[in-house]
């Protein structure tokens, strides 16, 4: 497979295209995730469908640049419509997104069905925009992806601090003179670009996963915006290439769903295994914390018993200690012994040591 | 010679959200070099007043002047400390980075913050007493620390007038004392502070001037002159302000 990647022309084109796509959608998706606009990617991609159909109807061209431009215009129109609805009516943004998404997608499906009835439909290959078909990627598609994606990435880097401030604290940004509305429109426009360049490969239905999932996974591993964006790009590449290569090496396997499976894997691993934020790490931290608490309680119990008996050597049976410290006390006692704070006086009998008393006193704050 | 124009002047300001007025015909003058508290019950328009001054909400009517001129031309003289809860503290960035944002306005497009900006940010952190937290992730801050970060971000702007939206909300006693000390430092340096404030008990201790607001401006002026029981009753309603809890959740 690896060898094929470098020798097979089709496979190389597919992999390269998917990698470009992963970089663009992964990095720009970072802002969508951080600004809580994950659904916007979904609305844009669905809203783009009628644009593709209309572009074909009007120009009779199926050149990817033409279709992508049509998709971008429609996606852009849909986004502006969402913003306008939110601004001028009482409809909240989630409802506005849902309305625009389904209306545009519905219109797109009607147009597509109409086109499919009129002979040259399958020839136009418009249907592959629904679920994506990486195997059909050609060199000129790479140029389209590179062109649109490069512009989007370049602008995002040029406006780095502006976009960061806009995402973190838009009100403050406005007070120091940032033209918030303009940058908001610009950033959303870049997101539109990032979405539409992937439509041919990943498809309208699942493209938003390509935008949201890499960034969501990347957030787990880092607390720095730059690193998060780089990681999201990397995850995008991995999923994009993985999905595209697998789907184009199998018959009739749509690319979008295959990429989404890769993304799912990345997200699941990130949610579970990431240090600090991951579930496994947090579970282990909870366990450690609970263990420390139990250890302290067992030490305090031994100390209290020693005080009551006026003797350090007097041993106390595990079953007595279990009454206050619970059934897990054996492990705490072993840990205390390891630190030299408790000692075994007989089988199943324990006492505090000199060092243990000092420690207990220190913990009491005495 | 004419007296210098006030630091902040609000004339006939009316702001409405939909049909309901949030502020009605408010006139207010904040003298230079004073600490002014804006107090009033919930929904009195305190935050709206601050946001209107900053151009974050569009007034239905009225004029706002900052040091005698329109806000748009005086932006560099104004620093804003928003409510702590207005941002997502899980954003992937650290304390120094957030404070440095205060310098972005002075930096042009494409210019990255450099050593000068970072040094200014560290100095501001020192002023609010958390320079040791510079590299800390903002998600790991306590409420009081978050508030200090926002204050440091405003300080780094080196403004003439500071507009603060509830700087004391939900902070620990230590932070409250630090903020009070900071406000006094600012006053000593001739700066002006306007702060939305909730705790009526401390108004007289912390502030020179007070504006009592309940959609309309009830009274404004020196604390010892206007912060009277009669005015408070007019602001908070007939049942009296003493029923109000001192601290709001």
């Amino acid at each position: 497979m690896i060898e094929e990647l470098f020798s097979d022309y089709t496979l190389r084109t597919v992999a390269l295209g998917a990698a470009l796509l992963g970089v663009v959608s992964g990095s720009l998706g970072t802002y969508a995730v951080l600004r809580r606009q994950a659904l916007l990617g979904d609305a844009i991609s669905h809203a783009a469908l009628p644009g593709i159909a209309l572009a074909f109807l009007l120009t009779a061209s199926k050149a990817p640049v033409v279709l992508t431009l049509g998709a971008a215009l429609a996606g852009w129109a849909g986004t502006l419509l969402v913003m306008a609805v939110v601004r001028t009516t009482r409809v909240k943004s989630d409802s506005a997104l849902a309305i625009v998404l389904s209306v545009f997608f519905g219109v797109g499906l009607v147009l597509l069905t109409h086109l499919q009835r009129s002979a040259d439909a399958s020839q136009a290959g418009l249907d592959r925009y629904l679920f994506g078909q990486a195997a059909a990627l050609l060199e000129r598609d790479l140029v389209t992806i590179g062109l649109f994606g490069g512009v989007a990435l370049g602008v995002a880097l040029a406006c780095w601090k502006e976009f960061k401030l806009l995402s973190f604290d838009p009100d403050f940004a406005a007070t120091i003179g940032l033209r918030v509305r303009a940058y908001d429109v610009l950033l959303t426009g870049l997101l539109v670009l990032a979405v539409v360049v992937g439509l041919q490969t990943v498809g309208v239905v699942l493209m938003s996963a390509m935008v949201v999932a890499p960034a969501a996974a990347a957030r787990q591993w880092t607390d720095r915006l730059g690193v998060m964006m780089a990681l999201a790009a990397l995850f995008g590449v991995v999923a994009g290439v993985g999905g595209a290569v697998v789907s184009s090496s199998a018959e009739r396997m749509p690319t979008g769903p295959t990429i989404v499976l890769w993304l799912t894997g990345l997200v699941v691993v990130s949610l579970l295994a990431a240090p600090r934020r991951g579930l496994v790490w947090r579970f282990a931290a909870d366990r450690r914390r609970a263990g420390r608490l139990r250890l302290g309680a067992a030490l305090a119990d031994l100390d209290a018993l020693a005080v009551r008996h006026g003797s350090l050597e007097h041993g106390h049976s595990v079953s007595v200690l279990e009454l206050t410290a619970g059934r897990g006390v054996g492990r705490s006692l072993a840990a205390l012994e390891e630190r030299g704070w408790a000692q075994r006086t007989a089988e199943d009998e324990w006492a505090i040591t000199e060092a243990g008393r000092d420690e207990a006193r220190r913990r009491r704050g005495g | 010679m004419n007296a210098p124009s006030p630091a902040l002047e609000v004339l006939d300001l009316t702001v409405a959200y939909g049909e309901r007025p949030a502020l009605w015909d408010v006139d207010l003058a904040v003298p230079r070099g004073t600490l002014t508290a804006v107090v009033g019950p919930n929904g009195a328009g305190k935050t709206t007043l601050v946001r209107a001054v900053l151009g974050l909400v569009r007034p239905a009517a009225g004029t706002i002047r900052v040091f005698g001129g329109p806000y748009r031309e005086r932006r560099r003289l104004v620093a804003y400390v928003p409510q702590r809860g207005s941002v997502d503290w899980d954003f992937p960035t650290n304390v120094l980075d957030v404070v440095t944002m205060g310098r972005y306005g002075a930096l042009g497009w494409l210019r990255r913050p450099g050593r000068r900006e970072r040094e200014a940010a560290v100095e501001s952190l020192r002023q609010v007493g958390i320079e040791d937290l510079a590299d800390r992730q903002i998600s790991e801050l306590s409420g009081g620390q978050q508030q200090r970060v926002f204050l440091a971000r405003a300080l780094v702007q080196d403004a003439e007038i500071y507009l603060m939206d509830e700087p004391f909300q939900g902070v620990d006693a230590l932070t409250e004392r630090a903020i009070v000390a900071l406000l006094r430092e600012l006053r000593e340096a001739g700066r002006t502070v306007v702060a939305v404030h909730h705790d009526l008990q401390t108004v007289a201790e912390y502030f020179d001037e007070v504006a009592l607001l309940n959609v309309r401006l009830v009274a404004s002026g020196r604390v010892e002159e206007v912060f009277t029981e009669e005015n408070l009753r007019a602001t908070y309603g007939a049942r009296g302000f003493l029923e109000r809890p001192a601290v709001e959740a």
Side-chain angles (χ1 to χ4, degrees), chain B residues 42-102:
Chain B
N42 287 333
K46 304 183 293 294
T47 295
T48 302
L49 176 62
V50 170
R51 292 177 64 84
V53 169
L54 293 164
L56 294 173
V57 295
R58 197 192 296 263
T63 313
I64 287 153
R65 291 213 186 88
V66 180
F67 293 100
Y71 166 71
R72 287 178 148 277
E73 292 166 18
R74 299 281 191 275
R75 216 190 277 280
R76 289 284 163 77
L77 301 179
V78 184
Y80 172 43
V81 180
Q83 281 187 30
R84 207 154 45 75
S86 63
V87 302
D88 173 16
W89 288 94
D90 199 32
F91 195 86
T93 187
N94 65 19
V95 167
L96 189 68
D97 214 26
V98 171
V99 176
T100 310
M101 287 176 187

Side-chain angles (χ1 to χ4, degrees), chain A residues 242-287:
Chain A
V245 168
V246 168
S247 84
S248 47
S249 54
E251 279 283 305
R252 304 189 58 80
M253 195 166 189
T255 314
T258 321
I259 289 181
V260 166
L261 285 181
W262 280 78
L263 286 172
T264 308
L266 285 169
V267 169
V268 167
V269 168
S270 300
L271 286 178
L272 286 177
R276 296 154 70 83
R277 299 178 80 94
L279 287 174
V280 172
W281 197 92
R282 273 165 36 195
F283 180 72
D286 277 353
R287 286 288 296 265

Side-chain angles (χ1 to χ4, degrees), chain A residues 161 164 171 219 276-277, chain B residues 51 90 97 108 140 153:
Chain A
K161 71 178 191 305
K164 179 159 82 174
D171 281 352
R219 181 68 189 93
R276 296 154 70 83
R277 299 178 80 94
Chain B
R51 292 177 64 84
D90 199 32
D97 214 26
E140 295 166 5
R153 184 177 66 174

